[in-house]
Amino acid sequence: MTLSDLDDLLAARHSCRAFRPDAVPRADIERIVATARRVPSWCNAQPWQLVITSGPETEAFRAALTAEVQSGVAKPDLAFPTGYSGVYQDRRRSCGWALYEAVGVEKGDRQGSAAQMMKNFSLFGAPHCAIVSSPAELGGYGAMDCGGFVAAFTLAAQALEVATIPQAAVASYAPFLHRHFGIGEDRLILCAISFGYSDTGHPANGFRTDRAPVAEIVEWRG
C-alpha cells in the first residue's frame, strides 16, 4: 500500500446515514476487527471491547433504544463537550446544515430536524451495531486509545466496502446500554459504530464534509 492508497481510502470513507438491510458476513466482520486491533495503545493495554449485534439482536436493540430515548434521560459515561466555539462551532454547523439540506430539512423546521436526529437511535437502518467500551480505570487514556481503534475499524470496513458511522448519540444513553448488554459498571461506554452496506441512493448519503488544510492544524517549530 502506498500513501496515495491510504489517502484514497480515507477520502472514500464517510459517515453513512442510510443503510441497506443486507447483513455483512461474519467472516468479514471478524476481518475488520482483526485489522482494527493492530492500532497502537498506551502500554499495549488494548482497552477496547466490543458488543456486536446482528439479525434479531440488532432489531431488538433498535426498538429498545428508541423506546428508551422517548422515555428516558441521556446520561453518558464519558462527559460530553461543554461547548463548541470558534472554528469548531463553524465546522459543526457546516456539517449539520449540509445534512439537513441533503434530506430537505429547512432552517427553522424543528419537527424535521428532530425526526432526523431520531434516526441516530434507529441506527440509520444499519443491520449491525458495535458498542465500544473501555475500562473505567484507564480514564481518558483508554478512551484515546479506543479512538484509534474506532478510526481503524471504519477504515478496515471501508476497504471491504462496508459503510460505517461512529455514534456518540447512542452512547449518551449509557445506563440503558449497560443494562441491555450486561456491560459492567467498571467499563465506560464510549460510542457505537453502526455498520452495513450503504444505501447509496439515499439523499442522506449525498453530501461530504471537508477537512481543514494542513496550515490550519500544524504550528511548525524549526
Side-chain angles (χ1 to χ4, degrees), residues 8-219:
D8 289 344
L9 186 64
L10 281 159
R13 190 218 65 81
H14 71 284
S15 291
C16 181
R17 291 179 173 86
F19 292 86
R20 305 200 318 258
D22 315 62
V24 177
R26 174 67 65 88
D28 285 349
I29 300 175
E30 290 182 355
R31 289 179 67 192
I32 291 166
V33 176
T35 296
R37 71 195 168 101
R38 296 189 179 278
V39 297
S41 61
W42 191 274
C43 300
N44 196 35
Q46 304 174 60
W48 41 82
Q49 286 287 317
L50 308 180
V51 174
I52 297 180
T53 67
S54 301
E57 289 290 339
T58 300
E59 296 309 317
F61 174 51
R62 196 190 326 270
L65 177 60
T66 299
E68 178 69 21
V69 172
Q70 291 172 342
S71 61
V73 177
K75 187 179 179 183
D77 280 347
L78 191 67
F80 273 11
T82 57
Y84 289 84
S85 60
V87 68
Y88 310 111
Q89 176 74 312
D90 293 342
R91 293 169 185 165
R92 186 170 185 257
R93 285 176 173 166
S94 177
C95 177
W97 287 121
L99 171 60
Y100 289 157
E101 182 178 0
V103 298
V105 175
E106 298 182 356
K107 288 186 177 181
D109 181 359
R110 294 182 180 275
Q111 185 175 357
S113 60
Q116 180 61 41
M117 182 274 293
M118 283 299 297
K119 292 183 184 297
N120 277 282
F121 305 110
S122 65
L123 313 176
F124 298 105
H128 306 281
C129 186
I131 305 298
V132 183
S133 69
S134 174
E137 66 180 356
L138 298 186
Y141 289 98
M144 181 176 68
D145 288 341
C146 287
F149 179 89
V150 170
F153 185 105
T154 65
L155 290 176
Q158 183 63 42
L160 293 180
E161 299 185 340
V162 174
T164 58
I165 180 167
Q167 294 180 264
V170 173
S172 66
Y173 288 83
F176 162 76
L177 298 178
H178 281 285
R179 295 194 308 270
H180 186 85
F181 292 111
I183 298 172
E185 297 296 332
D186 60 337
R187 301 194 66 83
L188 300 177
I189 295 175
L190 303 178
C191 73
I193 309 172
S194 293
F195 66 98
Y197 299 109
S198 175
D199 180 353
T200 56
H202 195 286
N205 289 328
F207 79 99
R208 296 292 182 271
T209 55
D210 59 8
R211 293 295 184 270
V214 173
E216 288 188 17
I217 60 178
V218 178
E219 179 181 341

